[in-house]
Amino acid sequence: MKVLLATKNKHKVKELTHIFENSQLEIVLLNLTDFPEIEEPVEDGHTFIENAIIKAKYYYAHFGIPVISDDSGIVVDALDGAPGIYSARYASVNQANASSADNRKKLLAEMEGITQRNAHFECAMVYYDGTTCFTSTGKTEGLILEKEVGHNGFGYDTLFYASEYEKPMGLLSEDEKNQISHRGKASRALIQQLMMK
Ligand code: ITT
C-alpha cells in the first residue's frame, strides 16, 4: 500500500521514513518533498491534533491515497505553553514559517533570566484514508538550555535537554532521538493501530 507522508519538512521526512520503514507495516512511503509546488493548507486549528487532521484531510483530497500527517512543536511552561502550535512561525512577522535559527534566537531571548526551564516536545499524528482516521500523540519532556548545544536534529533540538537521556537533544544520533522523541512515540502508537487494521 502506498502512503503519503504529508510533510514538507525534510527532517521530519527522514525521521518518519526511518521509523515506518523499520516497522512491520507493508507500505511504500511517498512524501511531499517531491511536490514542492503544492500549496500548504492553512493550519488554523487550535491544537496539534486539529492541525494534523487539517493536513491529513487536505493532502488526502489532493492525492487520493492514504496519508500520514504530523503536527508538532515545543511547549514551554514558563511561557504559558508558547510557542506550542506556533513553533514553526514563532519568530515570524507575517504568519509564514520563520527560519529555525530565528525561532531559536527568539526562544532564548524570551527565556533570558528565567530559571524554571521545563518544556516538552509534542507531536500529534494522523492516518487518514478517506474512511479510517487514526490519531496518536507523543511527548518528550526536558528543559530549555541556556545556549545551543550540539548540531544534530533540527528546529529547537539544539536548545533542548532531553530528560530521558539526561543529554542535550543536539548531541543525540537520529536513532537515539527516535527512541525517545515525541515523533518516535506518536509513530509507534500509530503503527500499533495500523497493524490491527
Ligand atoms: P509540515 O507542516 O510540512 O509538516 P512544519 O515544519 O511546518 O512542516 P509543523 O507545522 O508541525 O511542521 O511545525 C513544527 C515546528 O516545531 C518545526 O518547524 C520545528 O521548528 C518544531 N519541531 C517539531 N518537531 C521538532 C523536533 O523533533 N525537533 C526540533 N524541533 C521540532
Side-chain angles (χ1 to χ4, degrees):
M1 172 176 68
K2 277 188 186 163
V3 176
L4 176 75
L5 289 178
T7 176
K8 286 192 172 178
N9 181 323
K10 61 181 194 313
H11 304 282
K12 286 187 184 180
V13 167
K14 192 159 177 260
E15 291 179 8
L16 291 169
T17 301
H18 187 84
I19 296 168
F20 279 88
E21 284 188 349
N22 284 289
S23 74
Q24 314 242 318
L25 292 172
E26 290 186 12
I27 54 175
V28 175
L29 293 172
L30 308 177
N31 70 74
L32 288 177
T33 58
D34 297 327
F35 305 95
E37 70 287 356
I38 290 174
E39 261 192 56
E40 293 179 35
V42 179
E43 293 178 36
D44 56 2
H46 296 101
T47 60
F48 289 109
I49 199 73
E50 281 178 19
N51 280 338
I53 290 172
I54 287 169
K55 291 188 221 186
K57 293 198 166 166
Y58 174 90
Y59 289 111
Y60 177 78
H62 194 98
F63 288 93
I65 63 168
V67 165
I68 291 172
S69 63
D70 160 317
D71 198 63
S72 45
I74 192 161
V75 177
V76 182
D77 293 5
L79 302 179
D80 294 327
I85 60 169
Y86 305 108
S87 292
R89 39 192 150 133
Y90 191 39
S92 171
V93 282
N94 62 358
Q95 294 297 304
N97 287 0
S99 77
S100 289
D102 285 349
N103 287 334
R104 288 193 298 270
K105 203 168 149 196
K106 176 166 178 181
L107 181 57
L108 274 182
E110 296 287 334
M111 290 300 286
E112 207 176 316
I114 297 179
T115 51
Q116 206 285 61
R117 302 185 75 89
N118 290 9
H120 66 266
F121 274 113
E122 199 164 325
C123 174
M125 206 169 279
V126 171
Y127 166 90
Y128 182 66
D129 64 9
T131 44
T132 303
C133 185
F134 291 138
T135 63
S136 68
T137 57
K139 267 189 194 183
T140 191
E141 299 286 345
L143 301 168
I144 302 300
L145 293 161
E146 305 266 353
K147 60 179 172 55
E148 292 198 41
V149 178
H151 297 282
N152 297 346
F154 70 98
Y156 297 89
D157 280 342
T158 51
L159 284 182
F160 189 77
Y161 177 88
S163 299
E164 280 174 67
Y165 277 125
E166 299 184 353
K167 256 182 162 178
M169 197 84 121
L171 295 178
L172 300 183
S173 68
E174 190 182 295
D175 268 348
E176 286 174 319
K177 178 179 171 183
N178 282 341
Q179 292 296 323
I180 56 134
S181 76
H182 49 310
R183 185 163 299 103
K185 288 171 184 169
S187 300
R188 289 188 286 277
L190 198 69
I191 288 166
Q192 288 290 320
Q193 297 179 66
L194 289 167
M195 297 288 289
M196 317 259 271
K197 187 169 141 56

